[in-house]
Amino acid sequence: MSETNIIIAGVGGTGILTLSQIIANAAIKEGKNVVIGEIHGMSQRGGSVVSDVRIGDTAFGAIIPTGKGDILLGIEPIEAARNVYRIRKDAPVVLNTYEILPPIVSFGKQKYPDFNEIIKLISEFSKNIITINALELAEKAGSSAVMNIVILGAAMKRNIIPISYESVIETIKEYFPEKYRDMNIKAFKLGFEST
């Protein structure tokens, strides 16, 4: 195996860093080389957060070079659009349809783009867009806080991330405290079954 480059884009508080840790720990469990790079914005205030996860023997640098992303996990639509230029042509984009409005939009200072405009922008880089209402499935699992795990489940169904379903389940069980385990496992399974 050479390498698989995963870009995770969202806003602070949506579990971007948790998601990168789950993927990395599952890969390590399978004996794979993993490198993680993180770019934080004002994460405490809903600012941009991007995490790069590189899996494979040739993965050395923490940041994925522009145009080399093999998959983009978009936990928030605008943040996915901001990072789509980093993927290779037609790499899969797993995109949450739930919009998290930044404070500047909430205060009426700017307008959030129409979702169709976001899709149009992303489709300039990839026609392989998988949309999923992660909020709806996360709430079905027990909390909006598990949208990130729903997105992971949807991505895993596509067989693009080089880790096994079983390793992810095992990693979720080890990573989360007991009171959150079942909810996260349910979120992962709902995401997996949704696509």
Side-chain angles (χ1 to χ4, degrees):
M1 174 181 83
S2 54
E3 69 186 48
T4 301
N5 293 315
I6 304 156
I7 300 166
I8 307 167
V11 295
T14 58
I16 306 302
L17 306 181
T18 296
L19 184 51
S20 63
Q21 287 297 319
I22 300 259
I23 293 169
N25 290 349
I28 290 166
K29 189 179 289 299
E30 295 180 1
K32 295 178 172 130
N33 179 55
V34 182
V35 182
I36 297 178
E38 297 163 357
I39 302 163
H40 302 265
M42 293 177 62
S43 55
Q44 305 91 324
R45 296 196 177 109
S48 297
V49 179
V50 180
S51 184
D52 290 356
V53 181
R54 307 185 76 189
I55 303 171
D57 302 333
T58 58
F60 297 112
I63 303 301
I64 297 167
T66 299
K68 298 292 184 185
D70 295 306
I71 183 170
L72 170 60
L73 306 182
I75 312 301
E76 202 288 324
I78 280 290
E79 296 306 323
R82 283 187 178 138
N83 286 277
V84 72
Y85 74 94
R86 300 180 61 217
I87 63 172
R88 62 179 167 72
K89 178 83 172 134
D90 287 328
V93 177
V94 181
L95 183 65
N96 187 3
T97 60
Y98 179 68
E99 300 161 351
I100 300 168
L101 302 181
I104 198 161
V105 172
S106 300
F107 297 141
K109 303 274 186 194
Q110 284 186 0
K111 182 181 172 282
Y112 192 96
D114 180 73
F115 188 74
N116 290 326
E117 290 175 36
I118 295 169
I119 291 289
K120 186 177 175 188
L121 190 150
I122 292 173
S123 67
E124 291 176 20
F125 294 87
S126 176
K127 305 290 185 223
N128 190 359
I129 305 167
I130 302 116
T131 58
I132 181 170
N133 186 336
L135 176 64
E136 184 180 296
L137 294 175
E139 288 176 341
K140 197 180 282 189
S143 170
S144 62
V146 294
M147 286 191 297
N148 58 340
I149 306 299
V150 169
I151 294 288
L152 176 59
M156 287 292 295
K157 182 66 175 261
R158 291 291 194 271
N159 259 346
I160 300 154
I161 301 174
I163 50 178
S164 72
Y165 182 95
E166 294 74 23
S167 291
V168 173
I169 294 286
E170 203 175 315
T171 302
I172 288 171
K173 286 178 181 174
E174 292 168 0
Y175 189 89
F176 292 102
E178 190 175 348
K179 65 179 180 175
Y180 300 119
R181 269 181 218 146
D182 289 344
M183 179 173 63
N184 280 278
I185 290 168
K186 186 175 182 183
F188 177 70
K189 289 180 176 177
L190 285 168
F192 190 86
E193 292 158 6
S194 71
T195 60

